[in-house]
Amino acid sequence: MFDKKTLHGKTAVITGGGSGLGLAMAEMFATLGARVIICGRTEEKLKKAVLSIKEKAASANDDVEIPEPDWFSVDVRDYEAVELMANEIEKRYGLPDILVNNAAGNFLSASENLSKNAFKTIVDIVLHGTFNCTRIFGSKWIEAGKAASVLNIVTTYTESGSSFVLPSACAKAGVYAMTNSLAYEWATYNIRLNSIAPGPFPTEGAWSRLLPDEKMEKSYLKMIPAGRYGRHEELANLAVFLVSDLSPYITGECVTIDGGERLKSGQFNFITQMAERPQLKQFFSMMKPSRK
Ligand code: HXC
């Protein structure tokens, strides 16, 4: 889809890059020439992810050398740890060009049963984690006069809210506000901030916590007009476009990628669930008044 050198010469930091969508983006970025630096909490996972990134990038580029990916075991909730990581990245590779705030936490719970710590934990990972990374790299970019691009992963319920994921809904709404606030404030420094709101993309992390049984997954699928879940490379392609020099004039934009799921509230959309399309068409034609 992209020129092989779309991200050539770029360094990208991806939080939560050891698995799921973070890893999918890391693999795609590396395949397109970027030096990828992933961070997360679990060392084992990160080490495995780096091997996979190297393998994917090498198999897509037998003629071009891909910069060695790197990893940091860091919890984005810990401001000082993020600062240490940023200093070390700067020392090893110079300032990155791209930051993807992807690390997240979520689970299903009736909101009246949430403990104070449960709410705080998700807000800490999602909202504070995004702030920590953006604040730390942002000030470095501004001081150095370096152009950069930030991509924040939000959700399709950022604006609508959603039952049973209250901490995530509140935290992601904050991230959405942060993206737009800084897109305006930092445009003068040539720092772009955009977000992606993914609908359902199967990952071990999200699926095991949010759609743990087959029955749930099947009823969820019915709500997606495209009739399928998202593919990781579809999201990764969108991420490449937004973080790269292909979109230098796009900032403060949130792109939803959800197979149309967010439009489910359309008043007559329920009809799609009543019968197969040929039967519906027959039904509509029966309703049509005949012209005399
Ligand atoms: C109620 C829960 C809970 C649950 C944890 N808690 N899970 N409460 N129901 N299912 C409570 C705990 O009891 C504790 O409160 C507090 O939350 C912190 O839990 P810990 O396990 O100590 O925290 P920690 O080890 O930091 O783990 C964080 C985590 C965990 C978020 C809870 O699930 C995690 O590490 N997740 C990372 C991956 C992830 O969640 N991926 C999904 C993202 S998908 P007390 O009061 O007992 O101390 C996503 C996209 C959404 O966000 C869109 C998809 C369609």
Side-chain angles (χ1 to χ4, degrees), residues 41 77 104-109 115 117-118 121-122 125 157 205-206 209-210:
R41 286 178 294 171
R77 291 174 277 194
N106 204 355
F107 53 74
L108 291 173
S109 175
S115 73
N117 191 39
T121 299
I122 303 302
I125 299 172
Y157 51 75
R209 292 174 176 90
L210 304 171

Side-chain angles (χ1 to χ4, degrees), residues 18-82:
S19 58
L21 295 178
L23 178 56
M25 287 186 274
E27 288 169 348
M28 182 70 84
F29 287 12
T31 299
L32 297 172
R35 178 184 301 282
V36 167
I37 300 159
I38 55 173
C39 73
R41 286 178 294 171
T42 320
E43 203 173 309
E44 277 312 297
K45 219 158 119 178
L46 293 165
K47 284 183 180 163
K48 239 172 88 185
V50 160
L51 291 180
S52 164
I53 294 166
K54 273 163 79 167
E55 232 175 74
K56 287 257 165 68
S59 66
N61 290 281
D62 40 14
D63 46 342
V64 197
E65 207 173 311
I66 301 292
E68 190 76 9
D70 203 350
W71 60 274
F72 286 83
S73 174
V74 163
D75 188 330
V76 292
R77 291 174 277 194
D78 183 342
Y79 188 91
E80 280 70 35
V82 174

Side-chain angles (χ1 to χ4, degrees), residues 287-292:
M287 287 170 64
K288 198 171 166 186
S290 57
R291 283 225 178 99
K292 295 256 163 80

